[in-house]
Amino acid sequence: MRRVNFKIAALVVVLSLVLLVTVEAIWAVRTYRNMRSNYELQICSILEEAAWKYATPSVSDNAHINIGNISRFNALVSEGLRTAGLSTEHRVEVLSTTDTEPIVLMAMGEIEPSSDVISVDKHLRPLILRLTVLDPHSTILGNMRRVLILQLLSVIVLIFAFVYLLHTLFRAKEVDRIRRDLTHNITHELKTPIASAYAATEALHTMPHIYNDPTARNEYLAIVLGELRRLNGMVEEILRSSTEEFTTAELRIEECDIRSIVEAARLSLDLKYSSCRVTWEIDIDEGCSVAADSFHLQGAISAILDNAIKYSPDNPKVSLRATTNRGYTYIAIKDNGIGIARSQQRAVFDRFYRITEGDSYSTSGYGLGLYYAHSIVKRHNGDITVDSTLGQGSCFTIKLPRYGR
Ligand code: ADP
């Protein structure tokens, strides 16, 4: 995916997410408001009904009237609230309106009436019956609970889906980068032997004094042959690794002696790196053997040892320590090389992954060695981990089940 396309796609995803959350929030606020005005209408009609049923004040003498028991008014209100499914904490009061400020003549919470029946001055009429709901929010939110939970769940699911989409987009971008790097690496790697073979063949073709001199001719033909062999080796390595032959091929599990596998790997690496002096420190516990396919295990260990030398530009010092503990064999391979940043340590086991910063990139490779080692170790029910500090070296540890455990 092109860089601009990716940015636009990521922006669209984030904007959609923000839009969705905003719409949901607006909807929730509107629903709350609607429910609140419905609630207030219901409360008014309950109060009205209760007031009608509440007895009309009776005259006690010429100057006074009796007003009914407030407990009865409270019971009527409570009954009305219960029937409407709005049982809530409330308070009822009887007030007079003759003064500027209404006076409470009788009040009752749910529990204690301040007075049951009172006789009041006739002039205090008309009277007001007041119902106060103490916590309307909890009742309304309680009624909205199911809808809110469903809404919250759907928002969570959608956020998850959007995050997953973003993750997939990032991954696609990373794969694209890896693909471009691989193409670049392969082209770069293949170009050198092709150029050498081409130059040697051209010299033989155009320079008769070389062609006619048997020693020089043999020398040039040896160069061509050597470069073609190298080319063939590279192509085979890419094909073998990219077709995942090793992740599906049948393993021939047998008892493998770690010492002989390490020695064989070291011998071939000494030949490969004959031009640089590698310091080896090998320490293998007695009887260190694992149940493995020896060919692939050697390949995996070689890949890690090869990297240990390849990524240690100055006087490579490679130490290998093999120990056994609780049914497992541990092979720790340590180097004094350039190290791997913590953020890259997981990714180095991915197929075709290469670190593009620092000194790594100037070293040739296809990003397949650790992928191969990781796949092989996993197929043997083992594990491989890396511990590294940038600029100070790396330590790769392979854990494999012991033979006969
Ligand atoms: P490559 O062919 O590129 O070496 P690998 O799969 O073997 O592929 O390694 C992946 C990347 O991990 C390398 O490109 C390199 O950046 C990093 N790496 C692997 N081993 C080491 C090491 N011992 N020290 C530093 N970097 C390493």
Side-chain angles (χ1 to χ4, degrees):
M1 195 186 287
R2 276 178 42 226
R3 191 168 299 218
V4 179
N5 284 354
F6 171 79
K7 276 194 182 154
I8 292 173
L11 196 70
V12 168
V13 171
V14 171
L15 282 180
S16 321
L17 192 59
V18 171
L19 198 70
L20 176 94
V21 173
T22 315
V23 168
E24 292 285 343
I26 291 174
W27 184 85
V29 170
R30 287 219 169 144
T31 311
Y32 178 83
R33 281 195 191 142
N34 284 344
M35 288 189 86
R36 188 172 172 126
S37 56
N38 276 347
Y39 179 80
E40 281 166 4
L41 283 176
Q42 271 179 301
I43 294 287
C44 283
S45 80
I46 289 165
L47 178 61
E48 206 176 328
E49 207 172 308
W52 275 110
K53 289 182 187 163
Y54 186 54
T56 318
S58 60
V59 180
S60 74
D61 55 46
N62 279 344
H64 292 88
I65 51 159
N66 285 335
I67 47 174
N69 186 339
I70 197 162
S71 301
R72 190 170 127 65
F73 178 45
N74 188 45
L76 287 166
V77 168
S78 301
E79 172 63 22
L81 289 172
R82 214 174 8 258
T83 317
L86 300 174
S87 298
T88 172
E89 250 188 279
H90 61 274
R91 181 179 162 81
V92 288
E93 289 154 311
V94 178
L95 302 105
S96 129
T97 51
T98 43
D99 286 327
T100 34
E101 279 292 303
I103 314 164
V104 179
L105 300 175
M106 255 198 297
M108 181 170 173
E110 281 200 309
I111 306 155
E112 284 179 74
S114 54
S115 159
D116 275 358
V117 181
I118 59 165
S119 175
V120 294
D121 190 321
K122 260 184 177 177
H123 298 104
L124 292 178
R125 297 179 70 191
L127 301 174
I128 293 178
L129 300 178
R130 184 159 72 185
L131 162 62
T132 312
V133 176
L134 297 180
D135 186 10
H137 302 287
S138 319
T139 316
I140 299 169
L141 288 177
N143 288 349
M144 285 177 71
R145 198 176 51 222
R146 274 199 209 136
V147 181
L148 282 179
I149 289 175
L150 277 178
Q151 207 181 2
L152 199 69
L153 278 179
S154 64
V155 169
I156 290 173
V157 168
L158 282 169
I159 287 180
F160 181 78
F162 277 117
V163 169
Y164 186 73
L165 193 65
L166 268 184
H167 175 263
T168 312
L169 281 174
F170 275 111
R171 188 85 197 125
K173 187 180 167 231
E174 184 63 8
V175 168
D176 186 48
R177 183 190 67 76
I178 289 173
R179 186 188 54 73
R180 267 186 283 119
D181 284 354
L182 180 73
T183 315
H184 171 268
N185 286 343
I186 290 178
T187 320
H188 178 77
E189 289 287 304
L190 298 184
K191 258 170 120 179
T192 318
I194 290 174
S196 307
Y198 185 86
T201 315
E202 197 177 35
L204 283 172
H205 185 61
T206 56
M207 299 180 189
H209 67 278
I210 293 179
Y211 187 77
N212 293 330
D213 176 354
T215 323
R217 191 171 61 220
N218 281 343
E219 226 172 75
Y220 275 72
L221 282 174
I223 292 173
V224 174
L225 198 65
E227 293 301 340
L228 287 178
R229 273 206 195 107
R230 217 172 114 196
L231 210 53
N232 189 40
M234 286 177 186
V235 173
E236 264 178 14
E237 190 192 341
I238 298 167
L239 281 180
R240 179 172 56 88
S241 311
S242 59
T243 54
E244 299 197 2
E245 191 189 290
F246 56 85
T247 55
T248 50
E250 202 180 316
L251 295 176
R252 287 183 42 219
I253 303 291
E254 57 192 341
E255 179 177 7
C256 296
D257 176 36
I258 296 296
R259 189 178 298 278
S260 45
I261 284 185
V262 168
E263 278 310 323
R266 173 185 150 167
L267 207 68
S268 80
L269 287 170
D270 270 339
L271 281 176
K272 182 172 174 184
Y273 292 100
S274 53
S275 57
C276 73
R277 282 186 62 81
V278 181
T279 311
W280 294 95
E281 253 175 39
I282 293 180
D283 181 5
I284 298 170
D285 279 1
E286 214 42 60
C288 229
S289 63
V290 292
D293 180 308
S294 59
F295 174 78
H296 285 300
L297 182 60
Q298 184 175 324
I301 291 177
S302 290
I304 297 172
L305 290 174
D306 193 341
N307 282 345
I309 303 171
K310 207 161 77 170
Y311 296 106
S312 303
D314 309 316
N315 306 318
K317 192 170 155 199
V318 182
S319 82
L320 184 148
R321 171 102 180 92
T323 49
T324 53
N325 188 13
R326 295 193 185 172
Y328 284 97
T329 292
Y330 295 85
I331 306 163
I333 297 169
K334 214 167 155 184
D335 64 55
N336 60 337
I338 56 176
I340 304 166
R342 186 164 288 278
S343 57
Q344 313 257 20
Q345 288 177 9
R346 253 167 67 135
V348 290
F349 297 104
D350 289 349
R351 186 149 64 133
F352 298 130
Y353 190 88
R354 301 205 73 226
I355 297 172
T356 46
E357 300 107 46
D359 297 335
S360 269
Y361 210 46
S362 51
T363 313
S364 62
Y366 306 109
L368 289 169
L370 288 181
Y371 172 65
Y372 170 70
H374 184 260
S375 308
I376 290 300
V377 170
K378 284 284 173 191
R379 284 198 67 196
H380 283 83
N381 302 319
D383 200 9
I384 179 167
T385 51
V386 59
D387 182 20
S388 181
T389 310
L390 209 54
Q392 290 181 22
S394 312
C395 180
F396 286 85
T397 305
I398 297 176
K399 175 186 171 190
L400 285 171
R402 274 183 78 180
Y403 180 74
R405 80 181 174 119

